[in-house]
């Protein structure tokens, strides 16, 4: 019987190949969009999983571009508040 061998790359190389940050690679692993495993603190990603994600076009510069945010509502002007002067008690022993 022969075992199926899948090639792996580390998370840093995967981030360079996808054109995304290392944090995004970790997030894709957590979400299950990339397949891989950990050895200690190292994260290893299956190369075929990376290729499948790239073929879907679900990641990369075009897919990662954020949608334009709506224009914020105008702010109301601040109301002026009357400020009372601070009156401190006078200590008798300081005279």
């Amino acid at each position: 019987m022969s075992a199926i061998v899948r090639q792996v790359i580390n998370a840093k190389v995967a981030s360079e190949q996808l054109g995304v940050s290392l944090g995004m690679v970790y997030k894709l692993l957590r979400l299950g969009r990339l397949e891989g495993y950990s050895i200690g603190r190292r994260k290893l990603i299956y190369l075929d999983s990376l290729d499948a994600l790239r073929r879907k076009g679900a990641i990369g510069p075009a897919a990662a571009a954020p949608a334009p945010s709506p224009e914020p509502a105008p702010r109301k002007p601040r109301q002026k508040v009357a400020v009372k002067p601070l009156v401190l008690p006078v200590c008798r022993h300081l005279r």
Side-chain angles (χ1 to χ4, degrees):
M1 234 177 11
S2 63
I4 297 174
V5 178
R6 295 172 78 184
Q7 293 181 335
V8 294
I9 57 173
N10 66 24
K12 184 175 182 183
V13 174
S15 71
E16 291 168 358
Q17 288 188 7
L18 289 174
V20 297
S21 68
L22 191 57
M24 178 58 89
V25 171
Y26 293 143
K27 185 175 184 176
L28 291 169
L29 280 167
R30 272 195 318 273
L31 295 173
R33 295 184 61 194
L34 274 177
E35 293 179 57
Y37 58 96
S38 298
I39 296 180
R41 292 179 60 184
R42 292 181 61 196
K43 307 289 188 229
L44 299 173
I45 292 102
Y46 291 116
L47 198 52
D48 57 350
S49 170
L50 187 78
D51 292 336
L53 186 67
R54 210 181 294 139
R55 276 195 306 270
K56 286 181 187 175
I59 198 74
S69 60
E71 196 170 312
R75 289 183 149 188
K76 293 188 282 185
R78 291 186 178 197
Q79 295 179 353
K80 293 186 178 181
V81 179
V83 179
K84 296 180 181 178
L86 182 62
V87 179
L88 297 174
V90 177
C91 295
R92 292 184 183 168
H93 70 275
L94 293 177
R95 292 186 186 180

